[in-house]
Amino acid sequence: MINTLGSFALSLGIVFAQIPTPTTPIPDASVPLRPITEAEEQQLGLDDRIWGSAGQRGDKQALLNSIDNSLRYLRTPRAAEAYAKYPVPGITLERVRRSLVRFRQIVVNSRSAAQLQAAVRREFVFYQSVGHDRQGTVTFTGYYEPIYRASLTPNATYRYPIYRRPPDFENWQTPHPTRLELEGKDGLQGAKGPLKGLELAWLSDRFEAFLIHIQGSARLRLPDGRIMSVNYAGKTDHPYISVGRELAKDGKLPLAGLSMPVMIDYFRRHPQELSVYLPRYNPFIFFRDSGGAPAMGFTNVPVTAERSIATDKDLMPPGALAFIRVPLPFPNGRGNMAFRRVNRFVLDQDAGSAIKGAGRVDVFMGTGQLAGDRAGVMKSNGQLYYLLLKE
C-alpha cells in the first residue's frame, strides 16, 4: 500500500469545497487523544457491516483477519520500539494487545451488531482524537490498490518504468536527487543515472506509473495474463507536494471541485503538461515484487478494505483497534457516488506522508477500479476513536 505516502485525493490536491482542509497542526500534538465520558459513548460501537444489512454481505471474517494482522505486528520488535516512546499515558503495547484479543473474542461470540455494541460498552473505554480543531473533527480521505496493464520488458507501448530500491540507497548523499534528476522531464531518462538496471516493470501510461508512486502499491496485469503485485520498498527524502494544487496555482484548473476524473481528463487532453507537473512531485518511490502478496501497510501487515486506516504514527497507536464515524462514498446506481455515514471498527495499520496531525485519517478502500473511483472522491469530516479495555 501507501506506507509512507498520502491519500489518493489529497496527494493529488483534490479539493471538495464543503470540507475545510487543516493548514496547521494541533496546538498540543503531544496529547492527541482524550478519554470520553459514558454519555458520549451512547452512539458508539454499532457497526452494521460485520453481519451485513440492506442486502449487503457482512465482512466478519475480514475484520477477524485484520485483527489477527495487528496482533502479529504487536509481537514484533518494531512494535515494542514504537510503544516504548508512545506519548499518551495509559496506552501501552500490552493494553493494546489485550484489547484486541478480547475484542476478537467478543466479535466471534456476538450474534448481532447490537450485542457486540453492548459488550464493547461494558468492557472498553473510548479515546477520541482531538482532531485538527481540538473539538474532535477529523478529515478522512481514501486510498486504494490500482490494477494497471504493464510489461516486464520495454517496447514501443510499455515505456514508463517503475524501479526497484537501489542496493546502495542507504549510502546516497542527502538531499537525495529530485524526481527530475532521477527520471528526467519526460520520465524516460532513468537509465542514464543511478536507476539504470533497476527497472521492475514498464507501463504504457505515464500518469498511471505516477499514480503507483502515490498509492505505494499496485497489481500489474502482464501481457501473458499473469498478475504481478508490487509494494512499496522505500522513498527519497523530499517532502510531499500536491500536483493538483500546482495545477490550480498556475490557473490550469479551478481548485474548487478538483477531482480525479477532472485531472485525468486534463492530462489526456494536454499530455505535454505531464512533463511540466509530474517533475514537481519530488518524492521518488521504489518498489519490490511482492510475489502476489496483498497491499501492505506501515506495520508490515496486509491492509483490509474499509477495515484498515492510515494515521500519523507520531501521534496514534500503531496496530490498535479504532472506531470511525464518517460519510463514505458508495455507487448510487446512476454512475455517480453518494455519501452515506457509516460506523466502522477499524485497525490502525498504515501511515502516510500527507497524513499528519490528529485531524487526518486515510481509509483503505480496496483493490481495483471501483475502489479507485471511491477513493478519488472521498474527503469527509468525521470522528476517530480508539478502544482499550477498562482498567
Side-chain angles (χ1 to χ4, degrees), residues 378-391:
M378 183 176 169
K379 193 175 185 191
S380 306
N381 278 349
Q383 295 81 42
L384 168 68
Y385 305 86
Y386 289 85
L387 288 80
L388 294 161
L389 282 170
K390 293 178 179 178
E391 293 184 313

Side-chain angles (χ1 to χ4, degrees), residues 111-302:
R111 297 187 177 182
S112 70
Q115 187 178 4
L116 174 62
Q117 180 189 36
V120 165
R121 289 189 55 202
R122 283 194 305 269
E123 299 189 34
F124 288 77
V125 62
F126 288 78
Y127 285 74
Q128 183 177 12
S129 169
V130 298
H132 56 73
D133 58 358
R134 301 203 65 81
Q135 301 298 313
T137 304
V138 174
T139 299
F140 288 77
T141 47
Y143 66 100
Y144 80 114
E145 181 185 42
I147 302 175
Y148 295 136
R149 293 189 179 277
S151 173
L152 298 183
T153 56
N155 56 39
T157 299
Y158 297 100
R159 300 191 299 151
Y160 298 102
I162 58 173
Y163 296 90
R164 298 179 181 87
R165 186 177 185 270
D168 63 345
F169 184 60
E170 294 294 335
N171 297 323
W172 279 23
Q173 291 187 346
T174 56
H176 292 150
T178 64
R179 177 175 295 272
L180 179 63
E181 293 168 335
L182 286 172
E183 66 175 10
K185 188 175 182 180
D186 61 0
L188 297 173
Q189 307 306 312
K192 297 180 179 179
L195 301 181
K196 182 178 181 180
L198 297 174
E199 297 87 352
L200 182 61
W202 285 260
L203 284 86
S204 62
D205 187 299
R206 186 181 179 186
F207 196 53
E208 288 181 354
F210 174 75
L211 290 179
I212 300 177
H213 283 239
I214 296 297
Q215 297 305 315
S217 70
R219 294 191 179 274
L220 304 179
R221 192 181 303 278
L222 303 178
D224 62 5
R226 288 182 297 143
I227 299 294
M228 175 185 184
S229 60
V230 295
N231 275 330
Y232 172 93
K235 68 181 288 291
T236 57
D237 61 359
H238 294 284
Y240 155 82
I241 293 175
S242 165
V243 172
R245 289 185 182 275
E246 290 293 300
L247 284 164
K249 183 181 70 175
D250 291 349
K252 303 293 185 176
L253 292 171
L255 190 58
L258 185 59
S259 68
M260 176 50 54
V262 169
M263 289 188 64
I264 290 176
D265 178 68
Y266 177 81
F267 282 127
R268 282 180 176 167
R269 288 187 293 108
H270 307 282
Q272 70 281 2
E273 295 283 67
L274 290 169
S275 296
V276 176
Y277 288 97
L278 299 197
R280 297 187 189 183
Y281 188 84
N282 281 327
F284 199 89
I285 315 306
F286 304 111
F287 300 92
R288 61 183 177 85
D289 180 349
S290 57
M296 307 291 282
F298 173 85
T299 52
N300 201 32
V301 298

Side-chain angles (χ1 to χ4, degrees), residues 49-61:
R49 182 176 177 178
I50 300 174
W51 285 271
S53 64
Q56 294 186 339
R57 295 177 57 186
D59 69 343
K60 182 177 181 178
Q61 190 57 53

Side-chain angles (χ1 to χ4, degrees), residues 80-119:
E81 180 181 354
Y83 277 95
K85 56 186 180 182
Y86 187 68
V88 180
I91 300 183
T92 65
L93 186 151
E94 179 58 21
R95 190 180 180 194
V96 169
R97 188 197 66 80
R98 286 189 295 105
S99 300
L100 280 173
V101 169
R102 179 56 183 151
F103 180 74
R104 192 187 195 285
Q105 293 170 344
I106 295 173
V107 171
V108 169
N109 294 326
S110 296
R111 297 187 177 182
S112 70
Q115 187 178 4
L116 174 62
Q117 180 189 36

